[in-house]
Amino acid sequence: MRRPARRGRLAAAWPYLLIAPTLVGTAFLLLYPVARNLLMSVQHFRMAELIRGDAEFVGLANYTQVLGDPDFWTVTGRTLWWTALNTGLIMLFGTLTALMLKALGRRMRLAVMSGLVLTWATPVIAATTIFQWLFQSRFGVVNWALDALGFHSFQNYAWFAHRGSTFFILVALIVWQSVPFAALTLYGGLTTIPAELYEAARLDGAGAWQTFRLVTFPVLRPLFALVTSLEVIWCFKCFAQIWVISQGGPGDATTTLPVYAFQIAQSLHKYDLGSAVSTLTVLILAAALVFNLRRMFRQEGEAL
């Protein structure tokens, strides 16, 4: 009698044993860095402590210093503006691209979707390097094309030496990388909407905008909220693209919170303050996502 009972317990535990390596790896790769970062943020942890390993506990002194620094609030405002601008453009172009895919024929749809997938699959550093080549001052394709079109002021124009143009290039890069995910996800949602709803809207005399506002968006509101939340996370935590192209410059024009935390920790070797900034970054992002999700569920409840 004991063997069947033992086999039954083993069979019940087998699924958990299969996922145990993944859980252990996730805990090590995610939970340990978070816990280590939190610990460093409440310690005096500079280069000496990194070498000796004896960090002094200072409580919330690092957070007080960071929150009392005007530069932190300037960077926070820039990060929120950066996130809102990129997310808005991504959702706009992603929605338009998804609607275009639905209207295209089979072959053209396949071609466009292939291009979107290839764009999405391009590694971040490779895409960033391509944009650096495109906007290179002397041999870049963008300057050559603008000069050929008659805009001779762009001949040898140094895009990365000006605050506005550098910010514009980074926005274009982030949007270009992110639109494929949003477009393909929303297109998948569009294919699930019953054709009878669109037929009823056309019979009622609804135009394209009214059909989208009264049929498409209400049906796909949860999907739009989910994609928006994911894009907020993607834009808010962007680091590699900004660091490779500008390292937060010119000046501090493209310094966002992830870049700011890295600058403090690695350039100034103030690992405790950098950890505090990164912790505050996560808290700000979490608060924004909770607000967005609560609003989504509230709208869903009102619709029901």
Side-chain angles (χ1 to χ4, degrees):
M1 295 296 294
R2 292 183 178 178
R3 288 185 178 178
R6 186 178 301 174
R7 290 177 180 176
R9 289 195 296 269
L10 181 61
W14 186 245
Y16 300 99
L17 294 176
L18 291 175
I19 66 173
T22 302
L23 294 177
V24 172
T26 302
F28 180 75
L29 294 175
L30 295 180
L31 297 182
Y32 173 76
V34 170
R36 182 62 176 160
N37 187 78
L38 287 173
L39 178 61
M40 289 174 57
S41 69
V42 293
Q43 293 177 326
H44 180 79
F45 202 101
R46 305 294 171 90
M47 180 61 73
E49 286 74 19
L50 179 65
I51 297 174
R52 294 197 307 260
D54 54 342
E56 178 187 359
F57 179 78
V58 296
L60 299 179
N62 293 323
Y63 292 94
T64 302
Q65 182 175 345
V66 169
L67 293 174
D69 188 355
D71 290 340
F72 171 77
W73 296 107
T74 301
V75 173
T76 300
R78 185 183 301 113
T79 305
L80 294 175
W81 160 243
W82 158 270
T83 304
L85 176 62
N86 280 284
T87 303
L89 291 175
I90 291 168
M91 293 306 298
L92 173 62
F93 290 115
T95 302
L96 293 175
T97 305
L99 294 172
M100 179 188 70
L101 287 173
K102 194 172 185 302
L104 290 175
R106 182 178 179 181
R107 292 183 179 179
M108 185 59 67
R109 184 189 302 121
L110 179 61
V112 175
M113 291 180 68
S114 300
L116 291 173
V117 171
L118 290 175
T119 301
W120 189 23
T122 304
V124 171
I125 299 301
T128 304
T129 304
I130 291 172
F131 267 70
Q132 286 181 305
W133 291 344
L134 288 174
F135 290 93
Q136 208 273 340
S137 58
R138 292 187 61 187
F139 305 107
V141 174
V142 174
N143 281 356
W144 170 82
L146 291 173
D147 182 55
L149 291 173
F151 300 95
H152 302 298
S153 60
F154 286 96
Q155 185 178 12
N156 297 329
Y157 182 78
W159 291 86
F160 301 108
H162 301 84
R163 299 169 64 94
S165 58
T166 305
F167 192 87
F168 162 76
I169 293 171
L170 285 169
V171 169
L173 172 59
I174 299 302
V175 172
W176 179 79
Q177 288 181 306
S178 305
V179 163
F181 170 77
L184 293 174
T185 304
L186 294 175
Y187 170 72
L190 288 173
T191 60
T192 65
I193 299 178
E196 293 79 4
L197 295 178
Y198 290 113
E199 187 67 26
R202 282 193 294 268
L203 291 176
D204 290 338
W209 167 246
Q210 291 177 319
T211 301
F212 176 81
R213 184 172 61 87
L214 299 176
V215 177
T216 304
F217 184 76
V219 174
L220 297 182
R221 182 182 284 115
L223 184 60
F224 272 99
L226 176 62
V227 175
T228 301
S229 299
L230 294 176
E231 295 301 343
V232 166
I233 296 173
W234 163 257
C235 297
F236 197 93
K237 69 182 184 68
C238 276
F239 170 79
Q241 299 91 330
I242 298 175
W243 189 256
V244 170
I245 285 183
S246 66
Q247 296 187 358
D252 61 349
T254 58
T255 301
T256 59
L257 281 173
V259 177
Y260 184 63
F262 185 81
Q263 288 174 339
I264 293 176
Q266 296 299 323
S267 300
L268 303 179
H269 303 294
K270 297 180 179 180
Y271 307 107
D272 45 5
L273 297 181
S275 298
V277 172
S278 62
T279 301
L280 292 172
T281 300
V282 173
L283 293 176
I284 294 171
L285 179 58
L289 292 176
V290 168
F291 172 78
N292 182 57
L293 292 175
R294 286 187 61 184
R295 186 177 61 177
M296 178 189 74
F297 286 120
R298 188 183 302 115
Q299 291 175 347
E300 283 297 305
E302 293 174 355
L304 294 175

